[in-house]
């Protein structure tokens, strides 16, 4: 089973180092697992000369059949656990940092008025780490921000999803010292704009980087001055006047009302977002299937 999990991780990431990290094992051991599986199959499953690593014809034929077998095994395991003990009905969520703190508690409270939820395990991390948890089937659901034009691994592998709400990334910065409500840095000016950027593992960072290519500003005016892992840190840096950040409205709505932050550009600079819940494509515990049926309806 470990070899098969390793195979799926490499097929999804296209990188031995990323896949080994996602599987929490050393890369040499990971490579030995892949080679041992190929020896068992009797054919090379990956083209190691390509970058990123790609499946061979044998690997392409092997992958969908393997996924079905593993899905059936997972479904059998879950059903056995559910029949054996009550803990088989627990819910396991992964969520990005901001949504785990600001959206999930209120959403859960509303959900509990309509169904018996029971025990819950929540894992909060970067979007990339949450993707890995889903790929490893360590969680049943992933709560995250999403943009329709910026595909993730979950989209590429057709994980079922439902939109729970909307949000918007707003370009904000500290107000100028003259107390007239104007931003210290503005997007419609001629000067360079110090940019507070998300780290490479951030889902919001992927969205911002993708959508800025379509905005009416030359790229050479954006000068990255700080890179942070999540929106709450970038908010603090923006309040200190260190630059402009695209931050979710749910995080900065009160800051804009109180004047701690001001818009650095008009609505044409906003980036709309969806708040999505992804689920595992295979059968889940009954309480998880009940939750999905409820939110899907």
């Amino acid at each position: 089973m470990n070899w098969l999990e390793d195979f799926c991780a490499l097929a999804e990431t296209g990188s031995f180092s990323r896949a080994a990290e996602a599987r929490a094992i050393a890369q040499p051991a990971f490579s030995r697992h892949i080679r041992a599986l190929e020896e068992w199959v009797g054919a090379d499953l990956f083209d190691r000369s390509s970058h990123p690593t790609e499946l061979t014809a044998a690997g392409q034929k092997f992958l969908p059949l393997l996924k079905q077998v593993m899905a059936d095994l997972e479904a059998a395991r879950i059903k056995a656990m559910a029949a054996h003990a009550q803990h088989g009905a627990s819910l396991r969520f992964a969520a990005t940092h901001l949504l785990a703190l600001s959206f999930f508690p209120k959403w859960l409270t509303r959900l509990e008025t309509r169904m018996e939820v029971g025990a819950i395990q929540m894992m909060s991390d970067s979007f990339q780490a949450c993707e890995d948890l889903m790929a490893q089937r360590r969680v049943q659901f992933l709560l995250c921000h999403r943009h329709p034009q910026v595909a993730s691994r979950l989209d590429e592998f057709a994980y079922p999803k439902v939109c729970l709400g909307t949000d918007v990334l707003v370009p904000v910065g500290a107000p100028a010292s003259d107390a007239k409500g104007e931003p210290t840095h503005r997007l419609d000016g001629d000067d360079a704009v110090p940019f507070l950027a998300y780290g490479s593992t951030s889902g919001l960072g992927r969205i911002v980087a993708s959508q800025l290519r379509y905005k009416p500003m030359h790229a050479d005016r954006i000068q990255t001055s700080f890179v942070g892992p999540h929106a709450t840190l970038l908010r603090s840096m923006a309040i200190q006047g260190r630059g402009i950040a695209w931050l979710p409205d749910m995080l900065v709505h009160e800051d804009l009302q109180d004047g701690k932050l001001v818009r650095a550009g008009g609505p044409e600079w906003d980036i709309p977002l969806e708040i999505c819940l992804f689920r595992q494509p295979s059968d889940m515990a009954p309480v998880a299937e009940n939750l999905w049926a409820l939110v899907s309806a």
Side-chain angles (χ1 to χ4, degrees):
M1 283 296 294
N2 284 334
W3 293 357
L4 302 182
E5 295 277 6
D6 292 344
F7 172 83
C8 289
L10 182 55
E12 290 181 1
T13 64
S15 164
F16 275 83
S17 58
R18 277 282 312 283
E21 181 181 355
R23 296 283 294 143
I25 60 176
Q27 186 171 337
F30 181 88
S31 298
R32 288 196 298 271
H33 292 179
I34 296 299
R35 179 56 68 189
L37 178 63
E38 289 176 321
E39 291 175 356
W40 178 83
V41 172
D44 287 340
L45 301 175
F46 293 98
D47 180 1
R48 291 163 173 79
S49 65
S50 64
H51 300 282
T53 301
E54 295 181 350
L55 290 166
T56 62
Q60 292 174 4
K61 180 66 70 172
F62 188 59
L63 179 60
L65 299 174
L66 173 62
K67 281 183 172 287
Q68 184 59 54
V69 169
M70 295 182 71
D72 291 343
L73 284 172
E74 178 69 8
R77 185 184 70 86
I78 288 175
K79 291 176 181 178
M81 288 174 62
H84 177 70
Q86 185 63 33
H87 71 267
S90 64
L91 292 171
R92 302 186 305 279
F93 288 87
T96 50
H97 292 296
L98 178 60
L99 291 177
L101 293 171
S102 60
F103 181 86
F104 182 80
K106 295 179 181 178
W107 175 74
L108 178 62
T109 298
R110 295 195 301 270
L111 197 66
E112 288 175 326
T113 64
R114 304 180 63 186
M115 67 172 287
E116 184 70 29
V117 173
I120 294 173
Q121 181 183 13
M122 165 61 76
M123 302 182 192
S124 175
D125 212 319
S126 69
F127 179 69
Q128 181 174 301
C130 289
E131 277 187 317
D132 291 339
L133 290 172
M134 286 289 282
Q136 298 164 26
R137 294 195 292 279
R138 292 173 58 190
V139 295
Q140 300 150 325
F141 299 103
L142 168 56
L143 181 65
C144 62
H145 281 105
R146 178 181 177 273
H147 192 285
Q149 297 176 351
V150 185
S152 67
R153 275 190 286 160
L154 303 180
D155 294 304
E156 292 169 359
F157 287 91
Y159 281 73
K161 64 180 178 294
V162 63
C163 180
L164 302 179
T166 59
D167 199 359
V168 59
L169 286 168
V170 183
V172 297
S177 56
D178 57 15
K180 294 182 180 179
E182 294 295 320
T184 302
H185 309 285
R186 55 187 317 128
L187 292 167
D188 56 0
D190 297 323
D191 298 331
V193 177
F195 179 42
L196 308 176
Y198 296 91
S200 59
T201 62
S202 167
L204 292 179
R206 299 180 196 177
I207 292 171
V208 171
S210 171
Q211 294 304 295
L212 282 185
R213 295 198 297 266
Y214 304 102
K215 297 300 180 183
M217 181 173 67
H218 297 296
D220 56 4
R221 286 191 52 221
I222 297 181
Q223 297 183 357
T224 301
S225 59
F226 181 81
V227 177
H230 47 71
T232 51
L233 176 56
L234 297 187
R235 169 186 171 272
S236 297
M237 299 297 286
I239 289 175
Q240 293 180 20
R242 294 182 177 271
I244 289 174
W246 268 263
L247 297 174
D249 181 71
M250 66 167 55
L251 177 64
V252 299
H253 184 75
E254 292 184 2
D255 294 326
L256 291 170
Q257 288 185 330
D258 298 339
K260 291 181 181 179
L261 291 170
V262 294
R263 294 185 63 101
E268 67 274 14
W269 296 99
D270 293 353
I271 301 174
L273 298 172
E274 298 173 343
I275 300 172
C276 282
L277 185 72
F278 286 86
R279 64 156 287 169
Q280 290 291 348
S282 56
D283 289 345
M284 302 184 295
V287 68
E289 294 289 356
N290 291 341
L291 184 150
W292 183 254
L294 183 59
V295 298
S296 298

